[in-house]
Amino acid sequence: MGPRLLEVKNLVTEFRTEDETVRAVNGISFTLHKGEILGIVGESGTGKSVTALSVMRLIKSPPGKITGGQMIYHSKQYGAVDLVSIPEDQLRLFRGNEIGMIFQEPMTSLNPVYSCGEQVAEAIILHQKCTAKSAKQKTIELFKEVQLPRPEIMFDTFPHQLSGGQRQRVMIAMAISCNPAILIADEPTTALDVTVEHTILQLLKKLQRERGMSIMFITHDLGVIAELADRVMVMYKGRIVEEGSVWKIFANPQHPYTKGLLACRPPLNRHYHWLPTISDFMITRADGSLTESPFTIEQVTSKIIISKRERENRHKELYSAEPILQIKNLKKYFPIHKGLFGLSKHFMKAVDDVSFDVYPGETLGLVGESGCGKTTLGRTILRLIEPTSGEIIYKGKNILNLSASEMRSLRKHVQIIFQDPYSSLNPRITVGEALMEPMRVHNLYGNEALRKNKAIDLLHKVNMAEGHFYRYPHEFSGGQRQRICIARALALNPEFIICDESVSALDVSIQAQVLNLLRQLQKEFGFTYIFISHDLSVVKFMSDRMIVMEGGKIVEMGESDAIYANPQTEYTKKLIGAIPKGELDDIKKRLKEADVMQN
């Protein structure tokens, strides 16, 4: 290890509310060394992002405040400095200059009224006191370094005109613009495609190696940590519960919370009846305290493996029935340019001549990168987007021939769970009202008292309490909001549900709970699912068969095991290769390569 660059000692960060004071960071101590990548991992609410914001002194008061501890930064220019105690005006010497940060959501971190280049150049002018012309040239060089296409054009491009991966590269360029000694990356790949995520991780490794930076990389996904980190720090309820080399943490995890985080990621080499969760390793006593489960990861997972014979028998039964849904030559084209008299000259072929069947009780996985057409296909099937041509046959009826009133009746039976649960729920009405609203529209259950009983029953189905009926969406976590959206989809007793990226932005532990819930509900009610995701490991866990889409077309279709074991196209191979697997052999290989490069 290199010399100590940042020493955090007994750091305490609190948030005060009317009712209580919450210690989001509760007396943690750790060291970041020069040239090291430190992975900080844990679920939402464990304090990892608050730790990063505390290091940057970006905790807003009120309600938050650093109430104890030291953060000794060893600056090459200024010597040892306690970032907790120095005045605010002196922080500018370090914040953004010697310590850079990449925030979790680039769209909300970038100013929508300034071009991407102007925002990066502004940071360079502020800290390096150079001219606007020189700052522009340095920004273009940075855009080249972070591998943005057409960097000169990108300088004048606005954030909304870029993809999520491109916006994240702009944020990386801004964070490294002053050549910082420490780069803090707070969930920089959450909700990105696995291929884009893989590219961003490779880029960060390249920049760290070339610039000699230290990186604090914050994530909920231990698979990502395995790809990147030298050392790992696991946080739980504001405390560090385990710390060690990446090899030590993955080969021999000690704390039950770490075991749970490792176990709840969908495996690629086997099938489970359900995914293990944190609760399989941490048992809550009657008094609310926690105790460790006596079981190892292997002991927990060995009981839930689905045998090859079980899957074969399930598929034999599934595919002996008539299809519940038949998609024939479906197309959805969007006009992108208007010619003389408003005539469309060019079209973006979002869904391009797609055909497939779905069988009763089946989960059909739909996988591909952003822009491949999978979400448009899902919405077109429900006629939330009207198709350009083709047939959508549900239970023998072509739904494209149905009237508006007939479609409304059909939607009782075919529902969708959207990607972002927060924007799917009306912030002005309670959860109970959100659940009862579709019942009223379709005149179900007779009266308000029966509807309320049904709504409370649905909350219980998705493992939520009766008291949640009276709360508003902003009072819940992301995982809880997704459960509410699932409950709302169930309110009309559907037979067919399209899950559109319904777990992509969730912690891996919460994701495991939601996936288990969907599996349990399918077993109980016999649902048929189309499960849309960019994450092939999640699709493989959930699905019986899998469709791989690229450029609006189906490039591969078959049983999920067969596609994973023997992909037929380069595109599918790229998707599989980009999955952060967290296997010990991969970690060993990466560490050996790092040793060779250092020597």
Side-chain angles (χ1 to χ4, degrees), residues 122-186:
E122 181 185 26
I124 295 171
I125 292 168
L126 177 67
H127 290 290
Q128 298 184 18
K129 311 299 182 195
C130 61
T131 64
K133 184 178 179 180
S134 175
K136 180 175 181 177
Q137 189 54 45
K138 287 184 178 182
T139 300
I140 291 170
E141 290 299 318
L142 283 166
F143 283 177
K144 289 178 183 177
E145 190 173 1
V146 298
Q147 299 167 19
L148 274 167
R150 308 181 307 280
E152 290 83 3
I153 295 172
M154 282 291 174
F155 186 93
D156 297 313
T157 304
F158 288 85
H160 72 274
Q161 297 174 296
L162 304 182
S163 69
Q166 288 173 331
R167 284 194 291 267
Q168 200 58 281
R169 288 166 190 265
V170 172
M171 285 296 301
I172 293 171
M174 189 183 297
I176 66 171
S177 61
C178 299
N179 199 25
I182 298 174
L183 180 64
I184 300 173
D186 184 12

Side-chain angles (χ1 to χ4, degrees), residues 287-301:
D287 62 0
S289 62
L290 295 169
T291 184
E292 181 177 352
S293 162
F295 302 115
T296 65
I297 294 175
E298 195 56 42
Q299 285 172 325
V300 170
T301 56

Side-chain angles (χ1 to χ4, degrees), residues 376-410:
T376 302
L377 175 58
R379 295 185 180 204
T380 304
I381 289 170
L382 291 177
R383 282 186 63 187
L384 298 175
I385 299 173
E386 290 295 335
T388 303
S389 64
E391 295 180 272
I392 305 169
I393 299 170
Y394 182 76
K395 287 191 166 182
K397 287 185 180 179
N398 187 349
I399 70 171
L400 300 183
N401 298 330
L402 300 182
S403 65
S405 62
E406 288 172 322
M407 272 307 300
R408 176 178 286 189
S409 179
L410 176 70

Side-chain angles (χ1 to χ4, degrees), residues 70-280:
Q70 293 179 298
M71 295 187 296
I72 309 299
Y73 170 60
H74 297 274
S75 169
K76 193 173 182 180
Q77 185 173 354
Y78 302 101
V81 179
D82 183 3
L83 297 175
V84 172
S85 59
I86 62 172
E88 183 72 27
D89 59 342
Q90 290 184 28
L91 273 172
R92 288 189 178 185
L93 298 171
F94 307 100
R95 186 196 289 153
N97 190 23
E98 296 198 25
I99 305 173
M101 186 164 182
I102 308 166
F103 294 94
Q104 180 169 355
E105 179 42 69
M107 193 60 186
T108 56
S109 304
L110 293 169
N111 192 324
V113 301
Y114 292 101
S115 74
C116 296
E118 287 174 320
Q119 295 183 63
V120 177
E122 181 185 26
I124 295 171
I125 292 168
L126 177 67
H127 290 290
Q128 298 184 18
K129 311 299 182 195
C130 61
T131 64
K133 184 178 179 180
S134 175
K136 180 175 181 177
Q137 189 54 45
K138 287 184 178 182
T139 300
I140 291 170
E141 290 299 318
L142 283 166
F143 283 177
K144 289 178 183 177
E145 190 173 1
V146 298
Q147 299 167 19
L148 274 167
R150 308 181 307 280
E152 290 83 3
I153 295 172
M154 282 291 174
F155 186 93
D156 297 313
T157 304
F158 288 85
H160 72 274
Q161 297 174 296
L162 304 182
S163 69
Q166 288 173 331
R167 284 194 291 267
Q168 200 58 281
R169 288 166 190 265
V170 172
M171 285 296 301
I172 293 171
M174 189 183 297
I176 66 171
S177 61
C178 299
N179 199 25
I182 298 174
L183 180 64
I184 300 173
D186 184 12
E187 300 268 16
T189 59
T190 298
L192 295 180
D193 292 348
V194 285
T195 49
V196 178
E197 175 183 71
H198 181 73
T199 306
I200 295 293
L201 294 178
Q202 294 302 314
L203 173 62
L204 286 173
K205 281 195 280 191
K206 175 176 176 288
L207 292 171
Q208 185 269 338
R209 190 168 59 245
E210 291 175 354
R211 289 170 170 254
M213 292 185 301
S214 299
I215 296 179
M216 285 172 56
F217 191 94
I218 295 164
T219 182
H220 61 259
D221 189 347
L222 273 163
V224 171
I225 289 292
E227 298 265 311
L228 190 71
D230 302 308
R231 205 158 47 87
V232 185
M233 191 170 92
V234 183
M235 289 191 70
Y236 179 65
K237 291 191 174 181
R239 296 181 182 273
I240 298 170
V241 295
E242 190 162 0
E243 187 177 1
S245 69
V246 66
W247 176 261
K248 176 186 171 186
I249 295 295
F250 277 79
N252 189 25
Q254 297 299 304
H255 197 276
Y257 183 70
T258 312
K259 294 176 185 177
L261 287 177
L262 284 167
C264 66
R265 295 166 55 248
L268 289 166
N269 56 354
R270 57 177 78 174
H271 282 280
Y272 292 158
H273 286 284
W274 64 86
L275 290 171
T277 61
I278 302 294
S279 61
D280 290 306

Side-chain angles (χ1 to χ4, degrees), residues 313-502:
N313 289 341
R314 171 176 164 78
H315 290 172
K316 186 177 179 180
E317 183 179 345
L318 276 177
Y319 304 128
S320 63
E322 289 294 314
I324 189 172
L325 177 72
Q326 294 173 285
I327 306 297
K328 297 183 178 180
N329 308 112
L330 191 64
K331 297 178 182 178
K332 178 57 189 177
Y333 296 170
F334 292 98
I336 52 176
H337 290 296
K338 298 286 185 181
L340 191 63
F341 307 116
L343 297 175
S344 299
K345 288 201 167 183
H346 300 282
F347 293 89
M348 194 271 285
K349 298 179 179 180
V351 178
D352 192 12
D353 199 20
V354 165
S355 300
F356 61 90
D357 297 337
V358 186
Y359 293 84
E362 179 185 26
T363 299
L364 178 69
L366 197 54
V367 71
E369 297 173 290
S370 292
C372 71
K374 57 189 187 296
T375 291
T376 302
L377 175 58
R379 295 185 180 204
T380 304
I381 289 170
L382 291 177
R383 282 186 63 187
L384 298 175
I385 299 173
E386 290 295 335
T388 303
S389 64
E391 295 180 272
I392 305 169
I393 299 170
Y394 182 76
K395 287 191 166 182
K397 287 185 180 179
N398 187 349
I399 70 171
L400 300 183
N401 298 330
L402 300 182
S403 65
S405 62
E406 288 172 322
M407 272 307 300
R408 176 178 286 189
S409 179
L410 176 70
R411 287 200 175 107
K412 284 192 292 187
H413 308 293
V414 184
Q415 285 285 299
I416 185 168
I417 303 167
F418 293 101
Q419 177 172 358
D420 182 357
Y422 192 67
S423 61
S424 304
L425 295 167
N426 188 332
R428 297 180 179 181
I429 65 173
T430 63
V431 165
E433 284 293 308
L435 296 179
M436 292 166 66
E437 186 178 35
M439 303 179 203
R440 293 191 193 110
V441 169
H442 291 278
N443 198 27
L444 296 179
Y445 308 112
N447 59 55
E448 288 296 280
L450 292 174
R451 288 180 190 125
K452 181 178 178 180
N453 289 339
K454 177 65 176 177
I456 291 170
D457 181 55
L458 287 169
L459 288 173
H460 290 154
K461 286 280 184 206
V462 297
N463 301 322
M464 295 189 73
E466 181 175 339
H468 294 148
F469 180 93
Y470 304 98
R471 295 188 188 177
Y472 288 85
H474 73 272
E475 298 180 80
F476 296 94
S477 68
Q480 287 173 320
R481 284 196 289 264
Q482 197 58 279
R483 289 169 184 270
I484 292 163
C485 288
I486 292 170
R488 187 178 58 181
L490 301 181
L492 301 177
N493 298 321
E495 305 164 316
F496 195 109
I497 300 176
I498 295 176
C499 304
D500 183 14
E501 296 275 16
S502 53

